[in-house]
Amino acid sequence: RQKKNIFLKTYYSYEWTTWFNVDHPGGHGDYEQLDAIRFYYRARVCETPRAIEARTTEWVPARETGEKVHADPTVGFWCLNEEQGPERNCSNYAVRFLCPKGLGTWGLWSDWSPCPALCGQVGVQIRSRSCQSHFMPCSGPKVEGKACNGPDCPKIECPLQCVMGRVNAECDTCMCEEHILLGSVRRAGGLTAEGAAILRYGKLLTLTDHNGHFRIPGICPDGNTTLTISLQGHASHNVAVPSSTERTSKLRVLSHPDSKARREGQTAAFCCKVAGTSQPDEYQWFHNNSLLEKRSDSTLVLKDLHPEQAGEYYCRARGPSGAIKTKTATLRVLGKDEHSCNPKPESHLIHLPHDCYQNSTNSFYHDVGRCPSSTCTGQLDNAIRCKDKVAYCCGVRKMEKRQITCQGYQLPTMVVTECGCQKCVDTKAIVYGRAIAADNDEPMRFGHIFMNGVRISRTGYKGTFSVQVPPDTERLVLTFVDNMQKFVNTTKVLPFNTKGGAVYHEIKLLRKKVPVTISSTETNTLELGEVEGQEPMVQIQIPPHSFYKENGEVFTGNVSASVTFLDPRDVSTATAAQSDLNFVGDEGDTLPLRTYGMFSVDFRSEENNEPLNAGEVKVFLDSAQVKMSEHLSTMKLWSLNPDTGLWEEEGSLQMERKGRSKREERTFLIGNMEIRERRLFNLDVPENRRCYVKVRAFRSERFMPSEQVEGVVVSLINMEPTAGYSSNPRAWGRFDSVITGPNGACLPAFCDEQRADAYSAYVMANLGGEELEAVPSAPKLNPGLIGVLQPYLSKLNYRRSDHEDTRVKKTAFSINVAKPSPNTAEEGNGPVYAFENLKECEEARFSAAHFRFSRVEGDRYDYNTVPFNEDDKTSWTEDYLSWWPKPMEYRACYIKVKINSPHEINVRSHNMGGTHPKTVGQLYGLRDTRSIRDMDQATLSAVCVEFKCSGMLYDQNRDDRTLVKVIPQGSCKREHVNPMLQEYLVNHLPLAVNNDTSEFTMLAPLDPLGHNYGIYTVTDQDPRTAKEIALGRCFDGTSDGTSRVMKSNEGIALMFTCGDREVTQQNVFQSLQSAQSQVVTGEGRQNRRRQRANRRGSSRRRSTETLQDLQKPQAKKH
C-alpha cells in the first residue's frame, strides 16, 4: 500500500505537455528532437522530462505502427527510413513529454567556502543546497559559485611613471604588450644590413634578418624610448622610437545614466561607465546643459532632492584619447503628496466595427482612454543605487466594462477609468530582417553577426536574421561578416524600439570587387569610381615594398588586391552605407559627417591567400568632385570602428596639383594612411548645419492621432549639393534612419538658412518589409493632407516620388531642407526644427506641422475588448479578456477559409471564452478579413482569418479553449470541414455545437496543428512578427513555407459557398472607404486590393527599386 501511495503521488505530480511535431519523415526519417522542440517552443518543455510518448499524425500510437522507432525522454524521438521495410518510410510522428506539475522547495544555502586564491590571483568560492521535496524536482542550480580575489601581494615601490603601458619587472622601462615595433636597417648605398644588433640600455633585444628587418614586441611608441643599432664594421647609431600613429581605442560609453522619478527629500544617483585604451582621468556632470560646480567621479549622488533639481543630467568623461558624453537622463522630482501618475486617463479613440456607428459622436470611434507609460516613483527606498531594482511606470489601475450599442447587438469594451503607478511591463526588443546584396538582393547565406567583437548570431539560407537587443543597450551596432567572401564586412547601427517588440531591417551589402593582381615591388595606382561616363573620384597609390605580413615581415611577391568603393554619386548605393556616419568631437559630442565616398581594402598574398597590410599608402580625392568649396579645407580621412559604429580620424587631406600621363593637370586632395587592419575607410567632412525633420506614420489615410504607428523605420537620404548650392538629384551625402514612437520621429538632416534649396533630402518609411505611402503632391498640393501649411510648404518644395511620373512608386518624398527662420512665425512650428530644438521636435503637439506616411489599408479589421497597441508592448493590460495573455510571448493563430463565390466575401471570427470560468461566454475580440480572389479562377477566393489562440490566460493558472465562430458575410453555406480538423475536435472534448450551416463554430485547439488541418500557429516575442509568419504560411498553405500570393486550394480548413446576391448593408471596408472618400483618390478599389494582395511579395525588392526610381532625371521646375 505504501508503494502504491508513492506511485500515485508521483503520477499526480506530473502532467503531459501538448503534442509537438517539428519534423517530417522526408529525407532520412522523422526526428522529433528535444533540442529542436525547445528551440521552437522555448520553455514549454521542462528541463528533465520523465517520459515521452509518440503517435502518428493519424493518432496511431508508435507502438502499434509496426515501425522501428527510438525514444528517450532526454533526447527525443526518432525514426529512420532505412530501418523500415522495403519501399517503406517512417510515418509522420508527434510527441509529448511527461513533466512535473509543480516545483519542489529548496533548503537553505550553505555558507560560502573559503577563497582558495593566492595573492594577486582570482579563485572561486562555492556553496550548495538540497532539494527538500521527495516527489517533485527543484528548479535551479544545486551548487553555485562566485569569483573571489586573493589577498593583496606585497607592493614594491617603483619610481618609474609610464605615460603609456606599464612598468616592467626590472623597473627600468615601460612595456606595451599590445604593440609591436617594426623596422629595417640599411648600410651605405641602401644595402641590407643582416645581423645588426638592436639594443636598449645595453641589453640585446634582437638581430636583423637577411633582409635587414627586425620585429620587437612590447616597445611603447611614446617618444621616450631610445634604441641603439650596432653593426660590425660600422659606428653605433642611436634612434628614438617615435610617438606612434597607432590607433588607440577611443573612449566609449558602456552604460548610460538611467532616468528616475523621486519625491522631495529622497536621494537619486546617476552613474556612467566609460572605457578605452586609457581610462578617463576626469568626469564632469551637467544639469540642463550647465556644468555642476562639484567635480565628481562616475557617480553623481543628489541627496535631499528639491524641485529645482529636476531636469536633464548627463556626464562627460575625459582622458588622453579624447572625451565622450553619455545620453541624457531625466529626473522628475515630485511633491511628497503629488501623484506620480495623473490618475485621469488620456483620450484614446478606437475604431468600432462597421455596424457600430455612434450617433452620439457621429463617428465609428469610441474613447476607451489610456495611461502614458512614463516613469513614476513607485515603492522605492532611499538607498543609493545606479539602477532601480524594480522599474515603475504609469499604467492602468482600474478598468470598467461598458456596452456599446451596435446594430442588433451589444459590444462589450473595457474602458480605462484610473491610472496609477505600478511595475513596468517586461518587454524584449528584437531586430530582425534580411542581409542581401545591394545590387541584386542575393542573400548572404550563413553569415556571422558580431556585436562588440563577439559572434552572437548568424544569417539563414535566405539571409534572414533575428537578434535580441541586450538590456540597457542605447546604440545597437552589428557587423555582418560573409563566410563566402562575396560581400564586404558591413557594420550597421540599427535603430530598435526601446519599448520592446520587433523592428525589421533590410541590410544591404556591397559586393566585393573582383581582385586584380599587382606586384609588391612596383608602384601601384588603383582608381575608384562606379558611375559610368564620369571620372574616378579617388585614387589609391601604393609605393613599392609597402606590403607586409601580419607578423611584421615585409612581403615580396604578387598581391591580390580587392578595393570596393561606395560611390555617393550613385543614389541607389545610399542604403548600403555603413554605420550612421557619426564621429565623436573634441568635447565628447556625437557629430555628423557628410561622405564623399567609402572604400574597403582587402590585400592578400596571391600564392597562399594570406592577409596583408600596407604602409605609406597615398589617397587622392579629385577636388572637382567636391561641390562645396568650404569642404576642401575640412576634408579628412576616416576609418570605421566596427565595435562602436563610430568613425575615427585617420588624417587630414592637403590640396596639391598633380599631372597625369596624357591627361590634363588636375587638383587633388592628398592624404597618407596605413592599412593595418580590415577597416572601412571614408572621405568625409564634418557638417555643422543641422536640423531635424518631423515625420509621423499612420495606419490609414485618415491620419488620426490615435492611429499613429510605432516601430516604423523612417530613413532620410541627404542629397549632395552641386556647385552653387543647387541640389544634385543623382548624388547623396548622408543616410539616417530612426524609429517612430508614440509621437512620431525626428530625423537628422543637413539644412541651410540662407538658401532654401542648398540641401535636399529623400524620405522613406518601412514597416516589417512593407513600404508605406507618402501623401501625394500631384495633381495639386493639399497642405491639410501633407501636414504642412503654406507658404512654408512651397518653400520646402514637397514632391512625392511619383510627382512627375505616375509609374514611379509612391513610397518616398523629397523636400528642400530649409532651416526655419526665427523671424517667420509660420516656420517656428515644424516640420523642420533647428538642431538645438530637438526636444521641441520630439514633444511637438499633433497639431504642429509634420510630414506623413500611411499604410495602404488592408481589407481587415481588428477589435479587442481590452484595447492593446501592438506597436507599444507597454500598453498591455493585465486582464482575463486580453487577446494576448502574456506580454513576453505572442501566439498568433489563423484558420484558412475557401470561398466559392463570384464576389470577394468579408469573413468574421467571433472569439469568446470557452472553458475558463473567468471568461466563459465573454468576448475577447472580433477579426474581419476580406477574401482574396484567386488569380486563375474568377469564382474562387480564400481568406486567412485570425482567431484567438487557446491556452493559458494571464494568470497562467489554467487553459481556456477559445470559442471561435467563423462567419462569412451574406448568404453563405458551409460545404466542407477539413476531416483531420474535424477528427481532432471530436477527439478533444468538449465539442462545440455546429447546427448553423451558415457559420462554423469550434473550441480552438490547444495544439499548434498545421497546414494538414488548415490551422496556422506561430509563437514569437513580437505580435506583428508572429502574425506575419503565420500569415505567410497560411497564404502558402504549408507549415514551413511562406508566400504573399494566396494559394486558394492549399491547406484549407473550411469551405463555404456564397450566393450571387450582394449584401446591401455596408461592410467594414466599404464604410472605411466612405469615411476616406474626401481624401482618397486614384485607382479603383479592385486594383488597389490586388496590389495589396501582392505588395508584400515584392516588398523585399522595393527599397532598391525606389532608390533607382529617384535617379531618374527630373524635369526643370520653373
Side-chain angles (χ1 to χ4, degrees):
R1 181 181 298 174
Q2 186 176 5
K3 288 182 178 179
K4 183 177 181 181
N5 287 339
I6 292 174
F7 170 77
L8 290 174
K9 287 180 181 178
T10 303
Y11 177 79
Y12 287 116
S13 300
Y14 289 81
E15 63 181 354
W16 289 100
T17 65
T18 55
W19 291 97
F20 304 102
N21 184 1
V22 298
D23 193 27
H24 297 277
H28 297 293
D30 193 2
Y31 296 83
E32 306 296 334
Q33 294 180 319
L34 184 58
D35 286 346
I37 292 171
R38 283 206 178 103
F39 176 80
Y40 288 108
Y41 296 97
R42 299 179 176 85
R44 292 182 60 184
V45 182
C46 56
E47 188 68 27
T48 54
R50 290 295 298 271
I52 184 173
E53 185 177 3
R55 62 161 174 82
T56 70
T57 53
E58 305 294 332
W59 293 90
V60 178
R63 63 180 177 275
E64 298 178 9
T65 61
E67 298 173 1
K68 185 175 181 180
V69 298
H70 309 268
D72 184 332
T74 64
V75 178
F77 173 91
W78 62 100
C79 174
L80 304 179
N81 290 335
E82 63 182 16
E83 295 181 349
Q84 313 312 317
E87 299 183 359
R88 181 177 177 182
N89 285 341
C90 296
S91 301
N92 189 6
Y93 286 94
V95 297
R96 63 178 181 176
F97 299 89
L98 188 66
C99 288
K101 280 186 178 178
L103 297 174
T105 304
W106 286 107
L108 297 175
W109 285 103
S110 66
D111 293 333
W112 289 104
S113 65
C115 183
L118 301 177
C119 99
Q121 296 181 347
V122 177
V124 177
Q125 294 175 276
I126 61 172
R127 63 177 183 175
S128 61
R129 58 181 178 176
S130 301
C131 187
Q132 304 297 308
S133 302
H134 296 290
F135 307 112
M136 289 183 288
C138 295
S139 176
K142 185 177 181 179
V143 178
E144 69 176 12
K146 69 175 181 178
C148 62
N149 296 317
D152 294 335
C153 295
K155 292 185 178 180
I156 301 176
E157 294 295 332
C158 178
L160 182 62
Q161 299 290 322
C162 290
V163 176
M164 184 182 295
R166 63 177 180 83
V167 178
N168 67 352
E170 291 79 14
C171 188
D172 60 3
T173 189
C174 296
M175 299 292 293
C176 296
E177 284 123 343
E178 70 276 14
H179 284 268
I180 298 175
L181 176 65
L182 305 173
S184 62
V185 180
R186 295 284 185 271
R187 292 185 290 172
L191 300 176
T192 59
E194 181 180 0
I198 315 298
L199 305 99
R200 180 180 59 191
Y201 306 138
K203 294 180 181 179
L204 179 64
L205 299 179
T206 189
L207 297 174
T208 58
D209 62 14
H210 63 284
N211 289 318
H213 299 301
F214 64 86
R215 178 177 182 270
I216 307 174
I219 300 292
C220 290
D222 54 6
N224 297 322
T225 302
T226 300
L227 300 179
T228 300
I229 314 298
S230 176
L231 181 65
Q232 187 175 5
H234 294 73
S236 298
H237 186 64
N238 292 328
V239 294
V241 178
S243 297
S244 174
T245 57
E246 177 73 25
R247 181 181 297 109
T248 58
S249 174
K250 302 285 187 181
L251 291 178
R252 58 182 299 189
V253 179
L254 300 181
S255 63
H256 298 262
D258 286 343
S259 294
K260 300 178 185 293
R262 295 290 188 269
R263 297 196 179 276
E264 283 188 71
Q266 288 186 320
T267 299
F270 293 106
C271 307
C272 67
K273 188 175 181 181
V274 176
T277 300
S278 55
Q279 292 299 314
D281 50 30
E282 179 186 61
Y283 288 90
Q284 296 173 316
W285 284 94
F286 292 79
H287 175 219
N288 293 336
N289 290 321
S290 297
L291 178 64
L292 297 176
E293 292 182 5
K294 179 186 175 183
R295 297 288 180 93
S296 63
D297 58 11
S298 60
T299 301
L300 173 67
V301 179
L302 304 173
K303 297 183 178 180
D304 192 21
L305 286 171
H306 299 284
E308 58 269 18
Q309 292 176 286
E312 294 182 339
Y313 290 83
Y314 66 87
C315 107
R316 179 171 64 193
R318 289 185 182 276
S321 59
I324 189 77
K325 285 182 181 178
T326 66
K327 301 282 187 182
T328 58
T330 302
L331 175 64
R332 291 179 62 204
V333 180
L334 304 167
K336 294 183 178 180
D337 299 321
E338 182 182 352
H339 287 293
S340 61
C341 294
N342 186 353
K344 184 179 179 181
E346 295 178 349
S347 175
H348 180 61
L349 301 176
I350 61 168
H351 198 279
L352 301 175
H354 66 92
D355 48 4
C356 278
Y357 186 81
Q358 302 298 293
N359 293 322
S360 58
T361 60
N362 292 322
S363 72
F364 285 99
Y365 290 89
H366 187 77
D367 191 352
V368 296
R370 69 175 174 189
C371 302
S373 56
S374 55
T375 305
C376 55
T377 55
Q379 300 175 358
L380 297 171
D381 55 35
N382 213 28
I384 299 174
R385 58 172 67 91
C386 296
K387 186 177 182 65
D388 293 335
K389 291 182 178 179
V390 179
Y392 288 93
C393 298
C394 294
V396 177
R397 175 168 287 173
K398 290 182 182 179
M399 299 181 78
E400 68 177 35
K401 183 182 285 188
R402 295 179 185 171
Q403 299 292 333
I404 300 174
T405 302
C406 301
Q407 294 181 13
Y409 67 97
Q410 295 288 311
L411 181 69
T413 187
M414 301 296 289
V415 177
V416 180
T417 58
E418 184 180 345
C419 301
C421 191
Q422 58 191 22
K423 291 182 181 178
C424 299
V425 176
D426 288 330
T427 61
K428 292 181 180 179
I430 299 168
V431 293
Y432 74 107
R434 296 177 68 217
I436 57 178
D439 53 2
N440 64 358
D441 287 0
E442 177 189 351
M444 183 178 79
R445 296 190 170 105
F446 309 118
H448 295 307
I449 303 176
F450 289 84
M451 181 167 64
N452 294 326
V454 178
R455 194 182 75 180
I456 59 167
S457 185
R458 65 187 308 169
T459 61
Y461 180 77
K462 296 182 179 180
T464 56
F465 68 91
S466 180
V467 174
Q468 183 172 314
V469 182
D472 302 324
T473 299
E474 291 283 346
R475 180 180 169 88
L476 180 65
V477 181
L478 301 180
T479 298
F480 295 78
V481 178
D482 180 24
N483 290 330
M484 312 295 182
Q485 296 293 314
K486 290 183 179 180
F487 305 111
V488 173
N489 293 353
T490 300
T491 298
K492 289 283 189 178
V493 180
L494 299 183
F496 60 94
N497 193 341
T498 55
K499 292 184 178 180
V503 174
Y504 178 88
H505 291 280
E506 210 158 68
I507 309 300
K508 294 299 182 72
L509 308 169
L510 281 180
R511 193 179 299 277
K512 278 188 175 180
K513 281 295 179 186
V514 177
V516 296
T517 300
I518 59 177
S519 173
S520 65
T521 59
E522 300 175 0
T523 298
N524 295 280
T525 301
L526 304 174
E527 294 189 334
L528 310 181
E530 298 298 315
V531 179
E532 291 185 12
Q534 294 194 39
E535 290 282 349
M537 284 193 70
V538 179
Q539 294 178 2
I540 297 178
Q541 188 180 90
I542 308 168
H545 307 293
S546 294
F547 291 102
Y548 59 93
K549 300 177 183 179
E550 292 186 337
N551 64 1
E553 180 183 345
V554 174
F555 174 81
T556 303
N558 286 338
V559 177
S560 178
S562 172
V563 183
T564 306
F565 184 62
L566 187 144
D567 196 328
R569 295 174 298 181
D570 180 0
V571 72
S572 67
T573 63
T575 54
Q578 298 210 30
S579 176
D580 55 359
L581 283 173
N582 287 326
F583 75 103
V584 176
D586 295 337
E587 294 301 313
D589 297 289
T590 301
L591 303 171
L593 293 169
R594 170 181 285 273
T595 186
Y596 281 89
M598 304 179 187
F599 58 95
S600 172
V601 179
D602 189 8
F603 296 139
R604 294 178 181 271
S605 166
E606 191 175 59
E607 181 179 356
N608 57 16
N609 206 38
E610 179 185 2
L612 300 174
N613 298 329
E616 304 178 23
V617 175
K618 284 186 178 294
V619 179
F620 298 83
L621 172 64
D622 185 356
S623 63
Q625 305 293 341
V626 181
K627 306 303 181 183
M628 301 180 70
S629 57
E630 61 266 39
H631 286 176
L632 293 172
S633 60
T634 57
M635 185 75 65
K636 296 179 184 292
L637 184 64
W638 307 77
S639 69
L640 178 62
N641 185 328
D643 293 335
T644 64
L646 294 168
W647 294 88
E648 299 175 358
E649 185 178 338
E650 291 281 336
S652 299
L653 281 78
Q654 304 298 323
M655 190 86 72
E656 184 177 314
R657 300 189 71 84
K658 177 175 179 285
R660 302 191 301 178
S661 60
K662 298 183 181 180
R663 296 189 185 183
E664 73 282 3
E665 187 178 58
R666 300 169 64 194
T667 304
F668 286 86
L669 292 170
I670 301 178
N672 296 306
M673 60 181 290
E674 182 178 353
I675 299 173
R676 298 183 296 271
E677 52 186 311
R678 304 278 87 77
R679 280 201 174 193
L680 183 75
F681 298 96
N682 195 0
L683 294 157
D684 278 28
V685 292
E687 184 60 271
N688 55 13
R689 285 172 285 194
R690 295 173 287 162
C691 289
Y692 287 97
V693 179
K694 184 74 172 188
V695 178
R696 300 178 189 268
F698 298 85
R699 296 188 185 280
S700 72
E701 293 163 313
R702 292 184 293 269
F703 302 121
M704 298 280 294
S706 59
E707 292 186 348
Q708 292 189 77
V709 181
E710 298 183 44
V712 175
V713 181
V714 185
S715 301
L716 183 144
I717 304 173
N718 269 114
M719 305 311 292
E720 168 68 18
T722 57
Y725 288 178
S726 176
S727 295
N728 175 7
R730 298 183 61 83
W732 61 277
R734 183 176 172 83
F735 182 90
D736 282 286
S737 294
V738 294
I739 300 293
T740 58
N743 199 36
C746 295
L747 288 117
F750 297 138
C751 60
D752 191 84
E753 187 176 359
Q754 303 300 321
R755 291 282 303 271
D757 61 347
Y759 293 90
S760 68
Y762 281 99
V763 185
M764 300 163 290
N766 186 293
L767 178 65
E770 170 197 352
E771 288 182 300
L772 278 62
E773 282 193 2
V775 180
S777 57
K780 184 180 179 181
L781 281 175
N782 186 333
L785 274 186
I786 295 171
V788 183
L789 299 180
Q790 296 286 21
Y792 197 19
L793 182 60
S794 295
K795 183 177 179 180
L796 297 173
N797 195 31
Y798 177 90
R799 293 289 186 268
R800 193 167 73 173
S801 46
D802 66 338
H803 182 80
E804 294 179 347
D805 186 352
T806 56
R807 296 170 297 177
V808 177
K809 293 189 302 181
K810 311 167 184 178
T811 53
F813 66 82
S814 66
I815 57 170
N816 291 333
V817 191
K819 186 175 182 178
S821 171
N823 301 320
T824 307
E826 58 266 22
E827 297 181 12
N829 198 30
V832 181
Y833 293 83
F835 183 77
E836 59 272 16
N837 294 335
L838 172 60
K839 187 174 182 180
E840 182 182 336
C841 177
E842 292 176 335
E843 299 176 356
R845 300 173 65 88
F846 185 81
S847 57
H850 58 270
F851 294 110
R852 296 168 172 174
F853 284 95
S854 65
R855 301 188 70 179
V856 179
E857 191 170 44
D859 285 348
R860 68 180 185 86
Y861 167 76
D862 298 352
Y863 173 80
N864 297 326
T865 300
V866 179
F868 173 65
N869 180 4
E870 292 177 2
D871 300 324
D872 180 7
K873 312 304 173 296
T874 61
S875 67
W876 180 82
T877 304
E878 198 175 81
D879 194 278
Y880 282 104
L881 292 177
S882 293
W883 185 275
W884 307 97
K886 295 166 61 179
M888 298 287 281
E889 183 178 274
Y890 298 89
R891 191 178 180 203
C893 295
Y894 285 82
I895 184 169
K896 192 168 184 177
V897 182
K898 180 178 176 181
I899 305 290
N900 290 315
S901 172
H903 307 292
E904 292 172 330
I905 301 298
N906 179 47
V907 181
R908 168 173 289 183
S909 75
H910 185 277
N911 304 268
M912 301 176 68
T915 59
H916 196 289
K918 294 283 189 180
T919 62
V920 63
Q922 298 186 65
L923 183 70
Y924 287 116
L926 306 173
R927 296 293 186 268
D928 287 342
T929 312
R930 179 168 287 273
S931 63
I932 295 174
R933 182 77 52 81
D934 189 272
M935 302 294 287
D936 300 318
Q937 303 177 59
T939 61
L940 184 65
S941 63
V943 60
C944 294
V945 185
E946 185 186 7
F947 64 90
K948 186 187 181 304
C949 306
S950 294
M952 292 285 188
L953 300 187
Y954 87 90
D955 61 2
Q956 298 296 296
N957 186 33
R958 61 180 291 177
D959 292 321
D960 181 38
R961 295 276 303 278
T962 309
L963 183 63
V964 179
K965 286 188 177 184
V966 180
I967 312 166
Q969 183 187 25
S971 177
C972 299
K973 181 181 179 182
R974 187 178 70 244
E975 298 284 358
H976 177 72
V977 179
N978 185 306
M980 293 182 65
L981 175 61
Q982 184 64 40
E983 182 181 0
Y984 176 91
L985 297 175
V986 169
N987 290 330
H988 292 76
L989 300 177
L991 183 65
V993 178
N994 253 312
N995 293 332
D996 190 345
T997 59
S998 66
E999 59 187 41
F1000 174 75
T1001 306
M1002 69 173 178
L1003 286 165
L1006 285 167
D1007 299 304
L1009 298 181
H1011 69 284
N1012 291 328
Y1013 302 81
I1015 302 292
Y1016 303 86
T1017 306
V1018 171
T1019 302
D1020 196 85
Q1021 296 174 339
D1022 178 69
R1024 193 189 300 129
T1025 305
K1027 293 166 76 169
E1028 182 81 12
I1029 297 172
L1031 262 178
R1033 294 177 181 176
C1034 184
F1035 272 52
D1036 195 50
T1038 63
S1039 295
D1040 51 7
T1042 187
S1043 174
R1044 281 296 169 257
V1045 176
M1046 179 67 77
K1047 299 179 181 179
S1048 305
N1049 292 302
E1050 304 292 335
I1052 301 298
L1054 307 172
M1055 184 173 70
F1056 287 86
T1057 298
C1058 302
D1060 292 345
R1061 180 175 62 85
E1062 290 255 38
V1063 178
T1064 56
Q1065 183 184 12
Q1066 271 194 337
N1067 64 43
V1068 59
F1069 311 114
Q1070 292 166 338
S1071 65
L1072 293 184
Q1073 287 170 342
S1074 297
Q1076 298 178 56
S1077 60
Q1078 300 302 315
V1079 298
V1080 179
T1081 61
E1083 305 90 347
R1085 181 178 64 86
Q1086 198 64 246
N1087 290 336
R1088 293 195 67 179
R1089 293 201 63 259
R1090 288 235 168 95
Q1091 292 170 6
R1092 285 195 295 269
N1094 296 292
R1095 68 182 285 119
R1096 293 188 182 179
S1098 61
S1099 64
R1100 309 306 182 210
R1101 302 187 298 270
R1102 286 190 153 188
S1103 297
T1104 301
E1105 292 170 356
T1106 299
L1107 290 175
Q1108 290 169 345
D1109 292 338
L1110 299 183
Q1111 294 183 84
K1112 294 181 179 179
Q1114 303 279 327
K1116 277 195 172 181
K1117 301 173 181 64
H1118 301 280

mmCIF file of all heavy atoms in Angstrom, residues 1026-1038:
data_model
loop_
_atom_site.group_PDB
_atom_site.id
_atom_site.type_symbol
_atom_site.label_atom_id
_atom_site.label_comp_id
_atom_site.label_asym_id
_atom_site.label_seq_id
_atom_site.Cartn_x
_atom_site.Cartn_y
_atom_site.Cartn_z
ATOM 1 N N ALA A 1026 4.894 37.447 -35.224
ATOM 2 C CA ALA A 1026 4.154 36.186 -35.158
ATOM 3 C C ALA A 1026 3.045 36.152 -36.200
ATOM 4 O O ALA A 1026 2.853 35.148 -36.902
ATOM 5 C CB ALA A 1026 3.580 36.003 -33.748
ATOM 6 N N LYS A 1027 2.323 37.259 -36.337
ATOM 7 C CA LYS A 1027 1.232 37.308 -37.319
ATOM 8 C C LYS A 1027 1.773 37.273 -38.745
ATOM 9 O O LYS A 1027 1.191 36.627 -39.628
ATOM 10 C CB LYS A 1027 0.393 38.569 -37.077
ATOM 11 C CG LYS A 1027 -0.372 38.538 -35.761
ATOM 12 C CD LYS A 1027 -0.924 39.894 -35.361
ATOM 13 C CE LYS A 1027 -2.127 40.266 -36.159
ATOM 14 N NZ LYS A 1027 -2.813 41.452 -35.594
ATOM 15 N N GLU A 1028 2.885 37.951 -38.975
ATOM 16 C CA GLU A 1028 3.480 37.984 -40.308
ATOM 17 C C GLU A 1028 3.880 36.584 -40.759
ATOM 18 O O GLU A 1028 3.598 36.163 -41.885
ATOM 19 C CB GLU A 1028 4.693 38.910 -40.302
ATOM 20 C CG GLU A 1028 5.377 39.079 -41.631
ATOM 21 C CD GLU A 1028 4.680 40.079 -42.535
ATOM 22 O OE1 GLU A 1028 3.795 40.799 -42.053
ATOM 23 O OE2 GLU A 1028 5.020 40.101 -43.720
ATOM 24 N N ILE A 1029 4.532 35.827 -39.874
ATOM 25 C CA ILE A 1029 4.987 34.482 -40.230
ATOM 26 C C ILE A 1029 3.793 33.549 -40.424
ATOM 27 O O ILE A 1029 3.733 32.777 -41.388
ATOM 28 C CB ILE A 1029 5.938 33.935 -39.150
ATOM 29 C CG1 ILE A 1029 7.196 34.815 -39.061
ATOM 30 C CG2 ILE A 1029 6.326 32.490 -39.438
ATOM 31 C CD1 ILE A 1029 8.098 34.465 -37.898
ATOM 32 N N ALA A 1030 2.821 33.636 -39.495
ATOM 33 C CA ALA A 1030 1.644 32.766 -39.599
ATOM 34 C C ALA A 1030 0.856 33.065 -40.870
ATOM 35 O O ALA A 1030 0.381 32.141 -41.548
ATOM 36 C CB ALA A 1030 0.765 32.936 -38.367
ATOM 37 N N LEU A 1031 0.719 34.346 -41.217
ATOM 38 C CA LEU A 1031 0.007 34.698 -42.447
ATOM 39 C C LEU A 1031 0.743 34.186 -43.684
ATOM 40 O O LEU A 1031 0.117 33.689 -44.635
ATOM 41 C CB LEU A 1031 -0.141 36.219 -42.540
ATOM 42 C CG LEU A 1031 -1.464 36.820 -42.084
ATOM 43 C CD1 LEU A 1031 -1.421 38.328 -42.199
ATOM 44 C CD2 LEU A 1031 -2.624 36.274 -42.884
ATOM 45 N N GLY A 1032 2.076 34.291 -43.680
ATOM 46 C CA GLY A 1032 2.850 33.786 -44.808
ATOM 47 C C GLY A 1032 2.638 32.298 -45.012
ATOM 48 O O GLY A 1032 2.491 31.819 -46.143
ATOM 49 N N ARG A 1033 2.590 31.544 -43.921
ATOM 50 C CA ARG A 1033 2.345 30.107 -44.026
ATOM 51 C C ARG A 1033 0.927 29.820 -44.487
ATOM 52 O O ARG A 1033 0.687 28.905 -45.282
ATOM 53 C CB ARG A 1033 2.607 29.439 -42.676
ATOM 54 C CG ARG A 1033 4.065 29.491 -42.244
ATOM 55 C CD ARG A 1033 4.266 28.877 -40.865
ATOM 56 N NE ARG A 1033 5.664 28.966 -40.454
ATOM 57 C CZ ARG A 1033 6.119 28.572 -39.268
ATOM 58 N NH1 ARG A 1033 5.276 28.067 -38.373
ATOM 59 N NH2 ARG A 1033 7.399 28.676 -38.964
ATOM 60 N N CYS A 1034 -0.008 30.602 -43.966
ATOM 61 C CA CYS A 1034 -1.416 30.399 -44.338
ATOM 62 C C CYS A 1034 -1.635 30.699 -45.820
ATOM 63 O O CYS A 1034 -2.304 29.945 -46.524
ATOM 64 C CB CYS A 1034 -2.310 31.273 -43.458
ATOM 65 S SG CYS A 1034 -4.070 31.036 -43.715
ATOM 66 N N PHE A 1035 -1.073 31.797 -46.313
ATOM 67 C CA PHE A 1035 -1.173 32.101 -47.739
ATOM 68 C C PHE A 1035 -0.597 30.960 -48.577
ATOM 69 O O PHE A 1035 -1.147 30.575 -49.604
ATOM 70 C CB PHE A 1035 -0.432 33.403 -48.059
ATOM 71 C CG PHE A 1035 -1.265 34.643 -47.916
ATOM 72 C CD1 PHE A 1035 -1.969 34.902 -46.748
ATOM 73 C CD2 PHE A 1035 -1.347 35.564 -48.945
ATOM 74 C CE1 PHE A 1035 -2.732 36.053 -46.620
ATOM 75 C CE2 PHE A 1035 -2.106 36.714 -48.829
ATOM 76 C CZ PHE A 1035 -2.805 36.961 -47.655
ATOM 77 N N ASP A 1036 0.552 30.412 -48.116
ATOM 78 C CA ASP A 1036 1.242 29.372 -48.867
ATOM 79 C C ASP A 1036 0.571 28.009 -48.711
ATOM 80 O O ASP A 1036 0.752 27.131 -49.556
ATOM 81 C CB ASP A 1036 2.691 29.290 -48.390
ATOM 82 C CG ASP A 1036 3.586 28.508 -49.331
ATOM 83 O OD1 ASP A 1036 3.554 28.797 -50.541
ATOM 84 O OD2 ASP A 1036 4.299 27.610 -48.866
ATOM 85 N N GLY A 1037 -0.178 27.825 -47.611
ATOM 86 C CA GLY A 1037 -0.811 26.533 -47.360
ATOM 87 C C GLY A 1037 0.153 25.475 -46.896
ATOM 88 O O GLY A 1037 -0.075 24.273 -47.090
ATOM 89 N N THR A 1038 1.262 25.892 -46.261
ATOM 90 C CA THR A 1038 2.252 24.957 -45.733
ATOM 91 C C THR A 1038 2.575 25.334 -44.296
ATOM 92 O O THR A 1038 2.251 26.427 -43.835
ATOM 93 C CB THR A 1038 3.546 24.985 -46.565
ATOM 94 O OG1 THR A 1038 4.132 26.301 -46.467
ATOM 95 C CG2 THR A 1038 3.276 24.661 -48.022
#
